[in-house]
PDB file of all heavy atoms in Angstrom:
ATOM      1  N   GLU A  19     120.594  82.644 167.871  1.00 89.00           N
ATOM      2  CA  GLU A  19     120.114  81.586 167.002  1.00 89.00           C
ATOM      3  C   GLU A  19     119.856  82.222 165.640  1.00 89.00           C
ATOM      4  O   GLU A  19     119.196  83.254 165.560  1.00 89.00           O
ATOM      5  CB  GLU A  19     118.825  80.999 167.589  1.00 89.00           C
ATOM      6  CG  GLU A  19     118.454  79.689 167.003  1.00 89.00           C
ATOM      7  CD  GLU A  19     117.257  79.082 167.718  1.00 89.00           C
ATOM      8  OE1 GLU A  19     116.700  79.751 168.608  1.00 89.00           O
ATOM      9  OE2 GLU A  19     116.902  77.963 167.359  1.00 89.00           O
ATOM     10  N   LYS A  24     115.801  80.683 153.010  1.00 86.00           N
ATOM     11  CA  LYS A  24     116.626  80.295 151.865  1.00 86.00           C
ATOM     12  C   LYS A  24     116.035  80.763 150.549  1.00 86.00           C
ATOM     13  O   LYS A  24     116.752  81.052 149.601  1.00 86.00           O
ATOM     14  CB  LYS A  24     116.758  78.776 151.833  1.00 86.00           C
ATOM     15  CG  LYS A  24     117.603  78.226 152.934  1.00 86.00           C
ATOM     16  CD  LYS A  24     117.703  76.739 152.782  1.00 86.00           C
ATOM     17  CE  LYS A  24     118.356  76.122 153.991  1.00 86.00           C
ATOM     18  NZ  LYS A  24     118.217  74.678 153.969  1.00 86.00           N
ATOM     19  N   ARG A  26     114.553  83.526 149.833  1.00 86.00           N
ATOM     20  CA  ARG A  26     114.778  84.925 149.518  1.00 86.00           C
ATOM     21  C   ARG A  26     116.233  85.205 149.151  1.00 86.00           C
ATOM     22  O   ARG A  26     116.543  86.244 148.607  1.00 86.00           O
ATOM     23  CB  ARG A  26     114.433  85.782 150.735  1.00 86.00           C
ATOM     24  CG  ARG A  26     113.002  86.202 150.804  1.00 86.00           C
ATOM     25  CD  ARG A  26     112.920  87.335 151.802  1.00 86.00           C
ATOM     26  NE  ARG A  26     111.615  87.403 152.398  1.00 86.00           N
ATOM     27  CZ  ARG A  26     111.357  88.131 153.470  1.00 86.00           C
ATOM     28  NH1 ARG A  26     112.316  88.807 154.057  1.00 86.00           N
ATOM     29  NH2 ARG A  26     110.150  88.171 153.952  1.00 86.00           N
ATOM     30  N   LYS A  28     119.908  85.614 147.606  1.00 90.00           N
ATOM     31  CA  LYS A  28     120.476  85.687 146.263  1.00 90.00           C
ATOM     32  C   LYS A  28     121.961  85.364 146.257  1.00 90.00           C
ATOM     33  O   LYS A  28     122.668  85.655 145.299  1.00 90.00           O
ATOM     34  CB  LYS A  28     120.245  87.074 145.659  1.00 90.00           C
ATOM     35  CG  LYS A  28     118.811  87.317 145.214  1.00 90.00           C
ATOM     36  CD  LYS A  28     118.657  88.688 144.599  1.00 90.00           C
ATOM     37  CE  LYS A  28     117.201  89.020 144.392  1.00 90.00           C
ATOM     38  NZ  LYS A  28     117.011  90.441 144.145  1.00 90.00           N
ATOM     39  N   GLU A  35     130.989  86.349 154.622  1.00 91.00           N
ATOM     40  CA  GLU A  35     132.282  87.009 154.686  1.00 91.00           C
ATOM     41  C   GLU A  35     132.442  87.799 155.977  1.00 91.00           C
ATOM     42  O   GLU A  35     133.505  87.813 156.580  1.00 91.00           O
ATOM     43  CB  GLU A  35     132.418  87.944 153.475  1.00 91.00           C
ATOM     44  CG  GLU A  35     133.687  88.761 153.436  1.00 91.00           C
ATOM     45  CD  GLU A  35     134.923  87.922 153.162  1.00 91.00           C
ATOM     46  OE1 GLU A  35     134.778  86.845 152.560  1.00 91.00           O
ATOM     47  OE2 GLU A  35     136.022  88.348 153.568  1.00 91.00           O
ATOM     48  N   TYR A  36     131.383  88.493 156.408  1.00 92.00           N
ATOM     49  CA  TYR A  36     131.540  89.452 157.497  1.00 92.00           C
ATOM     50  C   TYR A  36     131.020  88.976 158.832  1.00 92.00           C
ATOM     51  O   TYR A  36     131.019  89.740 159.779  1.00 92.00           O
ATOM     52  CB  TYR A  36     130.921  90.797 157.101  1.00 92.00           C
ATOM     53  CG  TYR A  36     131.741  91.443 156.021  1.00 92.00           C
ATOM     54  CD1 TYR A  36     131.317  91.494 154.714  1.00 92.00           C
ATOM     55  CD2 TYR A  36     133.003  91.937 156.322  1.00 92.00           C
ATOM     56  CE1 TYR A  36     132.122  92.022 153.721  1.00 92.00           C
ATOM     57  CE2 TYR A  36     133.804  92.461 155.345  1.00 92.00           C
ATOM     58  CZ  TYR A  36     133.358  92.513 154.055  1.00 92.00           C
ATOM     59  OH  TYR A  36     134.169  93.018 153.084  1.00 92.00           O
ATOM     60  N   ILE A  58     124.535  77.108 158.287  1.00 91.00           N
ATOM     61  CA  ILE A  58     125.159  77.316 159.595  1.00 91.00           C
ATOM     62  C   ILE A  58     126.119  76.164 159.850  1.00 91.00           C
ATOM     63  O   ILE A  58     125.723  75.003 159.799  1.00 91.00           O
ATOM     64  CB  ILE A  58     124.092  77.386 160.700  1.00 91.00           C
ATOM     65  CG1 ILE A  58     123.103  78.514 160.388  1.00 91.00           C
ATOM     66  CG2 ILE A  58     124.727  77.617 162.048  1.00 91.00           C
ATOM     67  CD1 ILE A  58     121.888  78.509 161.250  1.00 91.00           C
ATOM     68  N   CYS A  67     125.013  89.171 167.491  1.00 89.00           N
ATOM     69  CA  CYS A  67     125.436  90.553 167.228  1.00 89.00           C
ATOM     70  C   CYS A  67     124.529  91.211 166.202  1.00 89.00           C
ATOM     71  O   CYS A  67     124.405  92.429 166.180  1.00 89.00           O
ATOM     72  CB  CYS A  67     126.886  90.588 166.765  1.00 89.00           C
ATOM     73  SG  CYS A  67     127.159  89.939 165.118  1.00 89.00           S
ATOM     74  N   LEU A  69     124.895  91.393 162.922  1.00 91.00           N
ATOM     75  CA  LEU A  69     125.514  91.976 161.732  1.00 91.00           C
ATOM     76  C   LEU A  69     124.965  91.336 160.461  1.00 91.00           C
ATOM     77  O   LEU A  69     124.720  92.026 159.471  1.00 91.00           O
ATOM     78  CB  LEU A  69     127.030  91.817 161.791  1.00 91.00           C
ATOM     79  CG  LEU A  69     127.735  92.541 160.660  1.00 91.00           C
ATOM     80  CD1 LEU A  69     127.777  94.029 160.924  1.00 91.00           C
ATOM     81  CD2 LEU A  69     129.123  92.034 160.426  1.00 91.00           C
ATOM     82  N   GLU A  71     122.052  90.237 159.976  1.00 90.00           N
ATOM     83  CA  GLU A  71     120.715  90.780 159.752  1.00 90.00           C
ATOM     84  C   GLU A  71     120.791  92.151 159.091  1.00 90.00           C
ATOM     85  O   GLU A  71     120.011  92.468 158.198  1.00 90.00           O
ATOM     86  CB  GLU A  71     120.020  90.866 161.109  1.00 90.00           C
ATOM     87  CG  GLU A  71     118.604  91.332 161.045  1.00 90.00           C
ATOM     88  CD  GLU A  71     118.026  91.435 162.440  1.00 90.00           C
ATOM     89  OE1 GLU A  71     118.350  90.562 163.271  1.00 90.00           O
ATOM     90  OE2 GLU A  71     117.270  92.365 162.689  1.00 90.00           O
ATOM     91  N   ILE A  73     123.455  93.470 157.375  1.00 92.00           N
ATOM     92  CA  ILE A  73     124.197  93.553 156.120  1.00 92.00           C
ATOM     93  C   ILE A  73     123.495  92.798 154.999  1.00 92.00           C
ATOM     94  O   ILE A  73     123.820  92.988 153.830  1.00 92.00           O
ATOM     95  CB  ILE A  73     125.649  93.055 156.318  1.00 92.00           C
ATOM     96  CG1 ILE A  73     126.586  93.782 155.358  1.00 92.00           C
ATOM     97  CG2 ILE A  73     125.771  91.560 156.162  1.00 92.00           C
ATOM     98  CD1 ILE A  73     128.030  93.614 155.682  1.00 92.00           C
ATOM     99  N   CYS A  74     122.507  91.989 155.325  1.00 91.00           N
ATOM    100  CA  CYS A  74     121.835  91.203 154.280  1.00 91.00           C
ATOM    101  C   CYS A  74     120.991  92.104 153.403  1.00 91.00           C
ATOM    102  O   CYS A  74     120.102  92.787 153.899  1.00 91.00           O
ATOM    103  CB  CYS A  74     120.943  90.138 154.905  1.00 91.00           C
ATOM    104  SG  CYS A  74     120.034  89.219 153.670  1.00 91.00           S
ATOM    105  N   PRO A  75     121.234  92.166 152.097  1.00 91.00           N
ATOM    106  CA  PRO A  75     120.423  93.039 151.243  1.00 91.00           C
ATOM    107  C   PRO A  75     119.057  92.459 150.909  1.00 91.00           C
ATOM    108  O   PRO A  75     118.242  93.141 150.316  1.00 91.00           O
ATOM    109  CB  PRO A  75     121.264  93.175 149.971  1.00 91.00           C
ATOM    110  CG  PRO A  75     122.517  92.442 150.200  1.00 91.00           C
ATOM    111  CD  PRO A  75     122.299  91.519 151.330  1.00 91.00           C
ATOM    112  N   GLU A  76     118.836  91.209 151.265  1.00 89.00           N
ATOM    113  CA  GLU A  76     117.604  90.541 150.809  1.00 89.00           C
ATOM    114  C   GLU A  76     116.623  90.303 151.952  1.00 89.00           C
ATOM    115  O   GLU A  76     115.619  89.643 151.744  1.00 89.00           O
ATOM    116  CB  GLU A  76     117.946  89.183 150.192  1.00 89.00           C
ATOM    117  CG  GLU A  76     119.039  89.235 149.155  1.00 89.00           C
ATOM    118  CD  GLU A  76     118.611  89.956 147.919  1.00 89.00           C
ATOM    119  OE1 GLU A  76     117.406  89.917 147.611  1.00 89.00           O
ATOM    120  OE2 GLU A  76     119.462  90.564 147.280  1.00 89.00           O
ATOM    121  N   PHE A  77     116.913  90.755 153.142  1.00 89.00           N
ATOM    122  CA  PHE A  77     116.060  90.548 154.316  1.00 89.00           C
ATOM    123  C   PHE A  77     115.821  89.065 154.537  1.00 89.00           C
ATOM    124  O   PHE A  77     114.714  88.642 154.837  1.00 89.00           O
ATOM    125  CB  PHE A  77     114.720  91.273 154.169  1.00 89.00           C
ATOM    126  CG  PHE A  77     114.847  92.652 153.617  1.00 89.00           C
ATOM    127  CD1 PHE A  77     114.537  92.911 152.303  1.00 89.00           C
ATOM    128  CD2 PHE A  77     115.301  93.682 154.403  1.00 89.00           C
ATOM    129  CE1 PHE A  77     114.680  94.176 151.785  1.00 89.00           C
ATOM    130  CE2 PHE A  77     115.450  94.941 153.890  1.00 89.00           C
ATOM    131  CZ  PHE A  77     115.140  95.192 152.574  1.00 89.00           C
ATOM    132  N   ILE A  79     118.012  86.862 156.426  1.00 90.00           N
ATOM    133  CA  ILE A  79     118.674  86.200 157.560  1.00 90.00           C
ATOM    134  C   ILE A  79     118.513  87.099 158.776  1.00 90.00           C
ATOM    135  O   ILE A  79     118.524  88.325 158.646  1.00 90.00           O
ATOM    136  CB  ILE A  79     120.163  85.911 157.225  1.00 90.00           C
ATOM    137  CG1 ILE A  79     120.854  85.149 158.349  1.00 90.00           C
ATOM    138  CG2 ILE A  79     120.929  87.164 156.918  1.00 90.00           C
ATOM    139  CD1 ILE A  79     122.206  84.607 157.945  1.00 90.00           C
ATOM    140  N   TRP A  80     118.290  86.512 159.919  1.00 90.00           N
ATOM    141  CA  TRP A  80     118.240  87.302 161.140  1.00 90.00           C
ATOM    142  C   TRP A  80     118.568  86.394 162.304  1.00 90.00           C
ATOM    143  O   TRP A  80     118.596  85.180 162.166  1.00 90.00           O
ATOM    144  CB  TRP A  80     116.885  87.969 161.312  1.00 90.00           C
ATOM    145  CG  TRP A  80     115.754  87.121 161.772  1.00 90.00           C
ATOM    146  CD1 TRP A  80     115.230  87.063 163.019  1.00 90.00           C
ATOM    147  CD2 TRP A  80     114.976  86.223 160.970  1.00 90.00           C
ATOM    148  NE1 TRP A  80     114.183  86.189 163.044  1.00 90.00           N
ATOM    149  CE2 TRP A  80     114.005  85.653 161.809  1.00 90.00           C
ATOM    150  CE3 TRP A  80     115.004  85.841 159.640  1.00 90.00           C
ATOM    151  CZ2 TRP A  80     113.076  84.729 161.363  1.00 90.00           C
ATOM    152  CZ3 TRP A  80     114.089  84.914 159.187  1.00 90.00           C
ATOM    153  CH2 TRP A  80     113.144  84.373 160.045  1.00 90.00           C
TER     154      TRP A  80
ATOM    155  N   PRO B   3     124.744  70.220 161.660  1.00 48.00           N
ATOM    156  CA  PRO B   3     124.245  71.587 161.570  1.00 48.00           C
ATOM    157  C   PRO B   3     123.220  71.779 160.457  1.00 48.00           C
ATOM    158  O   PRO B   3     122.291  72.545 160.592  1.00 48.00           O
ATOM    159  CB  PRO B   3     125.518  72.402 161.285  1.00 48.00           C
ATOM    160  CG  PRO B   3     126.634  71.547 161.730  1.00 48.00           C
ATOM    161  CD  PRO B   3     126.184  70.157 161.499  1.00 48.00           C
ATOM    162  N   ILE B   7     119.224  73.719 160.362  1.00 41.00           N
ATOM    163  CA  ILE B   7     118.604  74.741 159.521  1.00 41.00           C
ATOM    164  C   ILE B   7     117.207  74.278 159.116  1.00 41.00           C
ATOM    165  O   ILE B   7     116.243  75.006 159.199  1.00 41.00           O
ATOM    166  CB  ILE B   7     119.420  75.005 158.243  1.00 41.00           C
ATOM    167  CG1 ILE B   7     120.887  75.139 158.540  1.00 41.00           C
ATOM    168  CG2 ILE B   7     118.904  76.224 157.548  1.00 41.00           C
ATOM    169  CD1 ILE B   7     121.725  75.274 157.291  1.00 41.00           C
ATOM    170  N   GLU B   8     117.123  73.036 158.706  1.00 41.00           N
ATOM    171  CA  GLU B   8     115.840  72.540 158.228  1.00 41.00           C
ATOM    172  C   GLU B   8     114.783  72.626 159.323  1.00 41.00           C
ATOM    173  O   GLU B   8     113.647  72.992 159.086  1.00 41.00           O
ATOM    174  CB  GLU B   8     115.986  71.086 157.776  1.00 41.00           C
ATOM    175  CG  GLU B   8     116.853  70.904 156.545  1.00 41.00           C
ATOM    176  CD  GLU B   8     116.332  71.666 155.350  1.00 41.00           C
ATOM    177  OE1 GLU B   8     115.099  71.776 155.182  1.00 41.00           O
ATOM    178  OE2 GLU B   8     117.162  72.174 154.593  1.00 41.00           O
ATOM    179  N   ASP B  10     114.795  74.673 161.917  1.00 44.00           N
ATOM    180  CA  ASP B  10     114.513  76.015 162.395  1.00 44.00           C
ATOM    181  C   ASP B  10     113.952  76.934 161.327  1.00 44.00           C
ATOM    182  O   ASP B  10     113.755  78.108 161.581  1.00 44.00           O
ATOM    183  CB  ASP B  10     115.786  76.649 162.954  1.00 44.00           C
ATOM    184  CG  ASP B  10     116.164  75.994 164.263  1.00 44.00           C
ATOM    185  OD1 ASP B  10     115.293  75.309 164.810  1.00 44.00           O
ATOM    186  OD2 ASP B  10     117.296  76.157 164.703  1.00 44.00           O
ATOM    187  N   GLN B  12     111.808  79.202 159.233  1.00 47.00           N
ATOM    188  CA  GLN B  12     110.617  79.890 159.719  1.00 47.00           C
ATOM    189  C   GLN B  12     109.713  80.276 158.552  1.00 47.00           C
ATOM    190  O   GLN B  12     110.192  80.431 157.441  1.00 47.00           O
ATOM    191  CB  GLN B  12     111.045  81.168 160.439  1.00 47.00           C
ATOM    192  CG  GLN B  12     111.934  80.926 161.631  1.00 47.00           C
ATOM    193  CD  GLN B  12     111.176  80.372 162.809  1.00 47.00           C
ATOM    194  OE1 GLN B  12     110.017  80.672 162.989  1.00 47.00           O
ATOM    195  NE2 GLN B  12     111.836  79.541 163.576  1.00 47.00           N
ATOM    196  N   MET B  14     107.542  82.795 156.116  1.00 47.00           N
ATOM    197  CA  MET B  14     108.043  84.014 155.505  1.00 47.00           C
ATOM    198  C   MET B  14     107.696  85.283 156.288  1.00 47.00           C
ATOM    199  O   MET B  14     108.253  86.333 156.050  1.00 47.00           O
ATOM    200  CB  MET B  14     107.467  84.160 154.089  1.00 47.00           C
ATOM    201  CG  MET B  14     108.055  83.204 153.096  1.00 47.00           C
ATOM    202  SD  MET B  14     109.811  83.449 152.872  1.00 47.00           S
ATOM    203  CE  MET B  14     109.845  84.079 151.220  1.00 47.00           C
ATOM    204  N   HIS B  17     110.381  87.661 159.708  1.00 80.00           N
ATOM    205  CA  HIS B  17     111.590  88.478 159.733  1.00 80.00           C
ATOM    206  C   HIS B  17     111.277  89.778 160.484  1.00 80.00           C
ATOM    207  O   HIS B  17     110.227  90.374 160.279  1.00 80.00           O
ATOM    208  CB  HIS B  17     112.049  88.788 158.309  1.00 80.00           C
ATOM    209  CG  HIS B  17     113.402  89.414 158.241  1.00 80.00           C
ATOM    210  ND1 HIS B  17     113.583  90.752 158.444  1.00 80.00           N
ATOM    211  CD2 HIS B  17     114.630  88.894 158.019  1.00 80.00           C
ATOM    212  CE1 HIS B  17     114.883  91.025 158.342  1.00 80.00           C
ATOM    213  NE2 HIS B  17     115.532  89.918 158.078  1.00 80.00           N
ATOM    214  N   PRO B  18     112.170  90.224 161.396  1.00 82.00           N
ATOM    215  CA  PRO B  18     111.832  91.394 162.215  1.00 82.00           C
ATOM    216  C   PRO B  18     111.585  92.664 161.404  1.00 82.00           C
ATOM    217  O   PRO B  18     110.957  93.593 161.912  1.00 82.00           O
ATOM    218  CB  PRO B  18     113.053  91.548 163.123  1.00 82.00           C
ATOM    219  CG  PRO B  18     114.094  90.662 162.580  1.00 82.00           C
ATOM    220  CD  PRO B  18     113.419  89.587 161.821  1.00 82.00           C
ATOM    221  N   MET B  25     105.435  93.381 151.797  1.00 83.00           N
ATOM    222  CA  MET B  25     105.793  91.991 151.535  1.00 83.00           C
ATOM    223  C   MET B  25     105.299  91.522 150.176  1.00 83.00           C
ATOM    224  O   MET B  25     105.876  90.624 149.582  1.00 83.00           O
ATOM    225  CB  MET B  25     105.192  91.105 152.628  1.00 83.00           C
ATOM    226  CG  MET B  25     105.764  91.362 153.985  1.00 83.00           C
ATOM    227  SD  MET B  25     107.515  91.307 153.992  1.00 83.00           S
ATOM    228  CE  MET B  25     107.765  89.614 153.572  1.00 83.00           C
ATOM    229  N   HIS B  30     112.900  91.888 145.925  1.00 88.00           N
ATOM    230  CA  HIS B  30     113.128  93.130 145.182  1.00 88.00           C
ATOM    231  C   HIS B  30     113.936  92.875 143.914  1.00 88.00           C
ATOM    232  O   HIS B  30     114.427  91.779 143.677  1.00 88.00           O
ATOM    233  CB  HIS B  30     113.808  94.146 146.095  1.00 88.00           C
ATOM    234  CG  HIS B  30     115.058  93.668 146.746  1.00 88.00           C
ATOM    235  ND1 HIS B  30     116.157  93.296 146.029  1.00 88.00           N
ATOM    236  CD2 HIS B  30     115.380  93.481 148.042  1.00 88.00           C
ATOM    237  CE1 HIS B  30     117.106  92.922 146.858  1.00 88.00           C
ATOM    238  NE2 HIS B  30     116.658  93.015 148.099  1.00 88.00           N
ATOM    239  N   TRP B  32     116.810  94.231 142.951  1.00 91.00           N
ATOM    240  CA  TRP B  32     118.245  94.523 142.965  1.00 91.00           C
ATOM    241  C   TRP B  32     119.060  93.260 142.752  1.00 91.00           C
ATOM    242  O   TRP B  32     118.724  92.187 143.249  1.00 91.00           O
ATOM    243  CB  TRP B  32     118.610  95.229 144.269  1.00 91.00           C
ATOM    244  CG  TRP B  32     117.877  96.510 144.414  1.00 91.00           C
ATOM    245  CD1 TRP B  32     117.720  97.458 143.447  1.00 91.00           C
ATOM    246  CD2 TRP B  32     117.158  96.975 145.550  1.00 91.00           C
ATOM    247  NE1 TRP B  32     116.955  98.487 143.923  1.00 91.00           N
ATOM    248  CE2 TRP B  32     116.609  98.214 145.213  1.00 91.00           C
ATOM    249  CE3 TRP B  32     116.949  96.480 146.826  1.00 91.00           C
ATOM    250  CZ2 TRP B  32     115.836  98.958 146.103  1.00 91.00           C
ATOM    251  CZ3 TRP B  32     116.189  97.218 147.710  1.00 91.00           C
ATOM    252  CH2 TRP B  32     115.645  98.440 147.340  1.00 91.00           C
ATOM    253  N   PRO B  34     122.092  90.433 142.781  1.00 90.00           N
ATOM    254  CA  PRO B  34     122.928  89.874 143.854  1.00 90.00           C
ATOM    255  C   PRO B  34     124.235  90.643 143.943  1.00 90.00           C
ATOM    256  O   PRO B  34     124.874  90.911 142.923  1.00 90.00           O
ATOM    257  CB  PRO B  34     123.151  88.430 143.430  1.00 90.00           C
ATOM    258  CG  PRO B  34     122.677  88.322 142.044  1.00 90.00           C
ATOM    259  CD  PRO B  34     121.751  89.431 141.781  1.00 90.00           C
ATOM    260  N   THR B  40     121.319  96.573 151.451  1.00 93.00           N
ATOM    261  CA  THR B  40     121.970  96.772 152.741  1.00 93.00           C
ATOM    262  C   THR B  40     121.633  98.149 153.300  1.00 93.00           C
ATOM    263  O   THR B  40     121.363  98.294 154.493  1.00 93.00           O
ATOM    264  CB  THR B  40     123.491  96.642 152.560  1.00 93.00           C
ATOM    265  OG1 THR B  40     123.753  95.423 151.891  1.00 93.00           O
ATOM    266  CG2 THR B  40     124.200  96.650 153.871  1.00 93.00           C
ATOM    267  N   THR B  43     118.159  98.080 154.656  1.00 92.00           N
ATOM    268  CA  THR B  43     118.113  97.416 155.955  1.00 92.00           C
ATOM    269  C   THR B  43     118.609  98.355 157.044  1.00 92.00           C
ATOM    270  O   THR B  43     118.010  98.442 158.120  1.00 92.00           O
ATOM    271  CB  THR B  43     118.990  96.161 155.935  1.00 92.00           C
ATOM    272  OG1 THR B  43     118.834  95.515 154.680  1.00 92.00           O
ATOM    273  CG2 THR B  43     118.601  95.220 157.021  1.00 92.00           C
ATOM    274  N   ARG B 192     126.552  99.548 160.749  1.00 93.00           N
ATOM    275  CA  ARG B 192     126.237 100.041 162.091  1.00 93.00           C
ATOM    276  C   ARG B 192     126.315 101.559 162.154  1.00 93.00           C
ATOM    277  O   ARG B 192     125.442 102.227 162.690  1.00 93.00           O
ATOM    278  CB  ARG B 192     127.230  99.481 163.090  1.00 93.00           C
ATOM    279  CG  ARG B 192     127.198  98.010 163.180  1.00 93.00           C
ATOM    280  CD  ARG B 192     126.441  97.604 164.419  1.00 93.00           C
ATOM    281  NE  ARG B 192     126.598  96.192 164.601  1.00 93.00           N
ATOM    282  CZ  ARG B 192     125.598  95.350 164.654  1.00 93.00           C
ATOM    283  NH1 ARG B 192     124.372  95.786 164.563  1.00 93.00           N
ATOM    284  NH2 ARG B 192     125.813  94.081 164.821  1.00 93.00           N
ATOM    285  N   MET B 233     132.981  95.109 148.405  1.00 92.00           N
ATOM    286  CA  MET B 233     132.886  95.270 149.859  1.00 92.00           C
ATOM    287  C   MET B 233     134.261  95.103 150.501  1.00 92.00           C
ATOM    288  O   MET B 233     134.635  95.834 151.416  1.00 92.00           O
ATOM    289  CB  MET B 233     131.918  94.251 150.446  1.00 92.00           C
ATOM    290  CG  MET B 233     130.469  94.547 150.181  1.00 92.00           C
ATOM    291  SD  MET B 233     129.910  95.992 151.045  1.00 92.00           S
ATOM    292  CE  MET B 233     128.362  95.462 151.657  1.00 92.00           C
ATOM    293  N   LYS B 234     135.032  94.129 149.995  1.00 92.00           N
ATOM    294  CA  LYS B 234     136.390  93.931 150.531  1.00 92.00           C
ATOM    295  C   LYS B 234     137.253  95.146 150.222  1.00 92.00           C
ATOM    296  O   LYS B 234     138.090  95.559 151.038  1.00 92.00           O
ATOM    297  CB  LYS B 234     137.011  92.676 149.919  1.00 92.00           C
ATOM    298  CG  LYS B 234     136.453  91.407 150.493  1.00 92.00           C
ATOM    299  CD  LYS B 234     137.011  90.205 149.764  1.00 92.00           C
ATOM    300  CE  LYS B 234     136.381  88.940 150.272  1.00 92.00           C
ATOM    301  NZ  LYS B 234     136.598  87.819 149.363  1.00 92.00           N
TER     302      LYS B 234
END
Side-chain angles (χ1 to χ4, degrees):
Chain A
E19 196 174 4
K24 290 182 189 169
R26 272 196 207 167
K28 286 181 190 165
E35 177 70 25
Y36 291 106
I58 302 169
C67 71
L69 186 76
E71 183 182 322
I73 210 166
C74 177
E76 310 292 330
F77 317 103
I79 183 168
W80 77 102
Chain B
I7 314 175
E8 293 301 324
D10 289 345
Q12 299 286 329
M14 287 298 249
H17 190 278
M25 295 308 296
H30 54 62
W32 300 314
T40 308
T43 321
R192 298 258 189 238
M233 286 292 224
K234 285 175 184 164

